């Protein structure tokens, strides 16, 4: 089958909206702009920049992104009411290519318990709000939330009404990750059969990964006629996440023989985007993650290694350079200078300002004094330190001394600065990390619960850096802190302080309202 306009698949990235709904993945304005700029450079077609009515911060982020993006459409999300829609338009109106995305729940459960409307009331609301959105913006997308659990007859009816009201894109979201590939395709096929007008409309698919089938469901929808896929970098998103952008674009690139579709996305920036989103969100990419995971191009089996030595195609269906991954080389040490560091960071896909480079260089030199050999992954761990993300120095670790072993009580002595005042504290705990956390809590009292504590070694060897992730929850606010150090306990202390600094920021912000899709 030849590739033509009908086989062009639009990539709709919702990392900054649905992805940010992941508990603890809140991003700052600067971080959102950095991600949006990279997505635009990659050739992503639509960037859903946020939910403007949710908070002043979301409105500002969407508005600022709308002003700077050159090629992609900039989209904001709005519930099916006039206040949301007008607020959304105010946020995107300065975009070169603005879009309003409005939605309402349509499944029996959502009608009864969420929107609390009858079928007729939902139909009326769809027509009224899509038409209202169209009065502001020519490009209007509409979604029936929980579409895959909506009765087919009613789904057909509301889609027809949305088209009549002026929607130019119809998105069919699998909001709770309930569907399967065959069913996903059949829903799209039925809509095309029952709604002739749909042939002039872009049909979109938005799948969640609760049952691990988001990418498969999205590709099945494309084969059935959908020409827009909603996805996120690293599959970030609520619960088990969304369809992963990198999986969609690489599946279409690698399997053109059975999936004769194209995207505008430049794949050689995928690893850069993955690392950036991981750094900003504080969510590490699992080692065996498809396409961008650390082990995606690693081979340990003797049979696999033998095959790779003879021909890479024996056990690799993608080339590392296709996603922007260069072979790891050991090139830096304690005698390396700023120019070498800047060049290496650029090769890894990052452009740092002078102040950021100076901060990184200081921490690089500190690490080089502890580790003889500095690998790419060590540098990426330094870049991932959340102190380079949200700048908030309310709490700072100055000094830490820990006593532990098989016979003595686990004790931590710490010097901590809080709000520019220095405190010296000492605590015991059930292990060195618990003792450290107790010391910090003596300075900054809080009721946050520790939801997640994870340590992983960045590279091999006993001198490897440890990257620690800490997730806290307080009154519904969830934050994630991350830090790296050759001393695991120090990394734990820094990660804990990172998360507490984020908690201070979240306390000052209005919590976002419940979102959708």
């Amino acid at each position: 089958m030849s590739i033509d306009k009908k086989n062009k698949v639009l990539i709709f990235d919702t990392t900054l909206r649905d992805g940010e709904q992941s508990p603890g993945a809140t991003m700052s304005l600067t971080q959102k702009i950095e991600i949006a700029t990279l997505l635009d450079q990659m050739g992503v077609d639509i960037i859903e920049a946020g939910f403007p009515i949710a908070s002043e911060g979301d409105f500002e982020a969407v508005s600022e992104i709308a002003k700077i993006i050159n090629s992609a459409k900039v989209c904001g999300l709005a519930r099916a009411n006039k206040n949301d829609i007008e607020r959304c338009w105010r946020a995107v109106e300065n975009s070169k290519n603005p879009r309003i995305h409005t939605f309402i729940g349509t499944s029996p459960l959502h009608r009864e318990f969420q929107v609390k409307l009858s079928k007729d009331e939902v139909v009326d609301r769809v027509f009224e709000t899509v038409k209202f959105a169209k009065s502001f913006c020519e490009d209007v997308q509409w979604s029936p939330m929980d579409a895959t659990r909506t009765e087919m007859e009613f789904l057909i009816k509301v889609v027809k009404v949305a088209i009549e009201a002026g929607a130019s894109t119809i998105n069919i979201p699998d909001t709770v990750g309930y569907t399967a590939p065959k069913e996903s395709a059949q829903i799209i096929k039925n809509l095309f059969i029952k709604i002739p007008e749909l042939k002039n409309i872009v049909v979109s698919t938005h799948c969640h990964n609760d049952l691990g089938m988001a990418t498969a469901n999205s590709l099945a929808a494309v084969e059935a006629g959908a020409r827009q896929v909603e996805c996120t970098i690293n599959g970030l998103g609520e619960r088990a996440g969304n369809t992963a952008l990198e999986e969609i674009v690489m599946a279409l690139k690698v399997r053109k023989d059975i999936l004769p579709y194209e995207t505008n996305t430049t794949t050689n920036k995928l690893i850069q985007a993955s690392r950036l989103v991981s750094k900003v969100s504080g969510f590490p990419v699992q080692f065996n993650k498809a396409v961008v995971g650390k082990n995606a191009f690693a081979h340990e089996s003797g049979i696999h290694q033998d095959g790779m030595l003879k021909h890479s195609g024996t056990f690799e269906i993608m080339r590392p350079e296709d996603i922007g991954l260069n072979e790891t080389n050991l090139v830096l040490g304690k005698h390396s200078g700023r120019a070498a560091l800047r060049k290496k960071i650029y090769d890894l896909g990052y452009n740092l300002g002078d102040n950021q480079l100076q901060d990184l260089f200081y921490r690089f030199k500190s690490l080089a004094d502890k580790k003889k050999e500095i690998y790419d992954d060590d540098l990426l761990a330094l870049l991932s330190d959340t102190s380079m993300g949200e700048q908030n120095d309310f709490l700072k670790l100055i000094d830490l001394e820990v006593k532990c072993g098989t016979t003595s009580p686990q004790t931590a002595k710490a010097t901590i600065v809080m709000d520019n005042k220095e405190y010296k504290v000492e605590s015991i705990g059930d292990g060195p990390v618990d003792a450290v956390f107790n010391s910090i809590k003596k300075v900054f009292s809080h009721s946050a619960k520790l939801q997640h504590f994870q340590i992983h070694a960045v590279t091999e060897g006993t001198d490897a850096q440890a990257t620690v992730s800490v997730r806290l929850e307080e009154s519904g606010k969830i934050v994630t802190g991350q830090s790296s150090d050759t001393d695991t306990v120090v990394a734990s202390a820094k990660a804990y302080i990172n998360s507490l600094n984020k908690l201070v920021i979240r306390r000052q912000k209005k919590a976002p309202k419940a979102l959708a899709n």
Side-chain angles (χ1 to χ4, degrees):
M1 185 185 298
S2 62
I3 300 293
D4 56 28
K5 191 173 182 179
K6 291 182 179 178
N7 286 342
K8 178 71 71 176
V9 174
L10 302 174
I11 298 298
F12 179 112
D13 185 275
T14 184
T15 302
L16 300 177
R17 198 277 299 171
D18 207 334
E20 200 199 15
Q21 290 172 217
S22 296
T26 300
M27 306 170 192
S28 69
L29 173 60
T30 301
Q31 292 168 339
K32 288 184 177 183
I33 289 173
E34 187 178 5
I35 292 172
T37 300
L38 180 56
L39 292 174
D40 194 36
Q41 293 170 355
M42 289 169 60
V44 165
D45 299 283
I46 305 100
I47 298 171
E48 189 167 52
F51 189 64
I53 198 72
S55 68
E56 288 300 319
D58 250 35
F59 178 87
E60 182 185 14
V62 177
S63 180
E64 292 303 311
I65 289 169
K67 294 173 185 175
I68 65 169
I69 294 303
N70 294 317
S71 300
K73 293 178 180 288
V74 177
C75 176
L77 185 69
R79 292 168 301 186
N81 68 64
K82 292 185 176 181
N83 287 338
D84 274 40
I85 291 168
E86 187 166 1
R87 183 73 165 163
C88 182
W89 171 245
R90 298 305 169 208
V92 301
E93 64 179 332
N94 291 317
S95 169
K96 293 178 181 177
N97 301 292
R99 173 180 290 189
I100 293 174
H101 178 193
T102 185
F103 70 93
I104 191 171
T106 56
S107 70
L109 279 170
H110 281 239
R111 294 196 307 265
E112 181 178 356
F113 295 105
Q114 193 192 49
V115 298
K116 297 181 179 179
L117 298 173
S118 67
K119 285 184 176 181
D120 288 343
E121 288 172 326
V122 169
V123 170
D124 290 342
R125 183 74 65 85
V126 170
F127 186 83
E128 174 189 351
T129 53
V130 171
K131 194 174 182 64
F132 184 69
K134 193 74 172 183
S135 70
F136 293 108
C137 186
E138 185 61 30
D139 188 354
V140 175
Q141 175 172 317
W142 177 77
S143 294
M145 185 165 62
D146 205 18
T148 57
R149 294 194 297 173
T150 299
E151 309 95 316
M152 180 53 65
E153 182 180 348
F154 186 61
L155 183 61
I156 291 168
K157 184 172 184 178
V158 287
V159 169
K160 282 184 176 180
V161 168
I163 295 172
E164 290 171 7
S168 50
T169 298
I170 297 293
N171 178 48
I172 305 299
D174 183 27
T175 305
V176 293
Y178 178 73
T179 197
K182 185 177 179 180
E183 183 180 61
S184 175
Q186 194 58 52
I187 290 171
I188 302 297
K189 288 177 182 177
N190 286 343
L191 291 174
F192 274 108
I193 291 170
K194 299 293 184 180
I195 310 173
E197 309 95 290
L198 209 56
K199 65 183 179 182
N200 300 316
I201 299 293
V202 175
V203 176
S204 176
T205 180
H206 175 116
C207 298
H208 279 261
N209 204 38
D210 297 72
L211 294 175
M213 295 188 283
T215 297
N217 289 335
S218 296
L219 292 173
V222 168
E223 289 190 278
R227 289 297 177 267
Q228 176 179 291
V229 176
E230 301 201 1
C231 44
T232 62
I233 300 295
N234 296 338
L236 196 65
E238 287 193 280
R239 304 183 313 278
N242 291 59
T243 302
L245 181 150
E246 61 274 7
E247 294 174 15
I248 291 294
V249 297
M250 288 309 295
L252 296 181
K253 182 182 179 76
V254 172
R255 293 309 311 269
K256 286 189 183 299
D257 55 329
I258 60 171
L259 297 167
Y261 312 101
E262 285 192 340
T263 73
N264 292 320
T265 305
T266 303
T267 63
N268 63 10
K269 290 184 180 292
L270 288 175
I271 196 70
Q272 180 182 350
S274 173
R275 288 168 173 171
L276 175 59
V277 170
S278 178
K279 179 189 77 170
V280 165
S281 67
F283 280 42
V285 178
Q286 67 189 64
F287 284 9
N288 62 334
K289 167 73 177 68
V291 183
V292 294
K294 183 177 180 179
N295 290 348
F297 293 94
H299 304 273
E300 184 170 332
S301 161
I303 294 174
H304 285 222
Q305 290 175 344
D306 178 65
M308 286 294 296
L309 289 171
K310 293 172 179 174
H311 192 287
S312 62
T314 54
F315 289 102
E316 282 188 354
I317 60 171
M318 299 171 279
R319 299 178 305 165
E321 54 266 35
D322 286 343
I323 65 166
L325 184 64
N326 297 318
E327 184 179 356
T328 298
N329 292 305
L330 179 66
V331 295
L332 296 180
K334 65 186 296 181
H335 300 296
S336 299
R338 286 178 180 79
L341 179 62
R342 184 189 290 275
K343 175 65 167 59
K344 188 60 181 175
I345 293 301
Y346 179 80
D347 289 342
L348 290 172
Y350 295 92
N351 285 305
L352 299 186
D354 290 340
N355 290 339
Q356 286 181 309
L357 182 67
Q358 179 62 29
D359 175 62
L360 181 66
F361 184 71
Y362 173 80
R363 291 186 291 120
F364 160 73
K365 283 293 188 179
S366 177
L367 177 62
D369 285 335
K370 302 173 185 176
K371 281 194 71 179
K372 180 180 178 181
E373 301 172 335
I374 307 297
Y375 293 88
D376 290 359
D377 284 342
D378 288 313
L379 295 176
L380 291 170
L382 292 179
L383 283 166
S384 297
D385 193 322
T386 49
S387 65
M388 295 185 68
E390 289 186 79
Q391 298 297 318
N392 177 29
D393 293 329
F394 182 76
L395 281 169
K396 288 190 290 188
L397 178 69
I398 304 300
D399 187 56
L400 180 65
E401 180 183 338
V402 177
K403 183 179 179 182
C404 61
T406 58
T407 58
S408 302
Q410 319 301 305
T411 307
K413 296 180 181 179
T415 303
I416 297 168
V417 170
M418 182 176 72
D419 201 16
N420 297 316
K421 184 177 180 180
E422 188 174 288
Y423 297 86
K424 292 183 181 293
V425 289
E426 180 176 344
S427 287
I428 61 171
D430 185 16
V433 173
D434 187 50
V436 169
F437 285 12
N438 288 339
S439 294
I440 296 169
K441 196 170 182 179
K442 274 189 175 181
V443 177
F444 182 71
S445 181
H446 61 84
S447 60
K449 295 180 180 178
L450 180 63
Q451 284 194 333
H452 176 76
F453 176 79
Q454 182 181 53
I455 304 171
H456 77 265
V458 175
T459 56
E460 292 75 24
T462 56
D463 64 348
Q465 283 192 97
T467 292
V468 177
S469 294
V470 171
R471 184 182 302 164
L472 300 176
E473 184 272 331
E474 181 187 68
S475 303
K477 300 179 179 70
I478 300 175
V479 292
T480 300
Q482 190 178 74
S483 192
S484 302
D485 198 278
T486 52
D487 187 318
T488 303
V489 179
V490 172
S492 301
K494 289 179 178 178
Y496 190 55
I497 285 176
N498 284 161
S499 62
L500 291 173
N501 280 331
K502 284 189 174 183
L503 189 62
V504 171
I505 294 174
R506 290 296 302 276
R507 285 175 174 179
Q508 297 168 354
K509 293 181 179 179
K510 181 181 178 182
K513 299 175 183 178
L515 306 188
N517 281 357

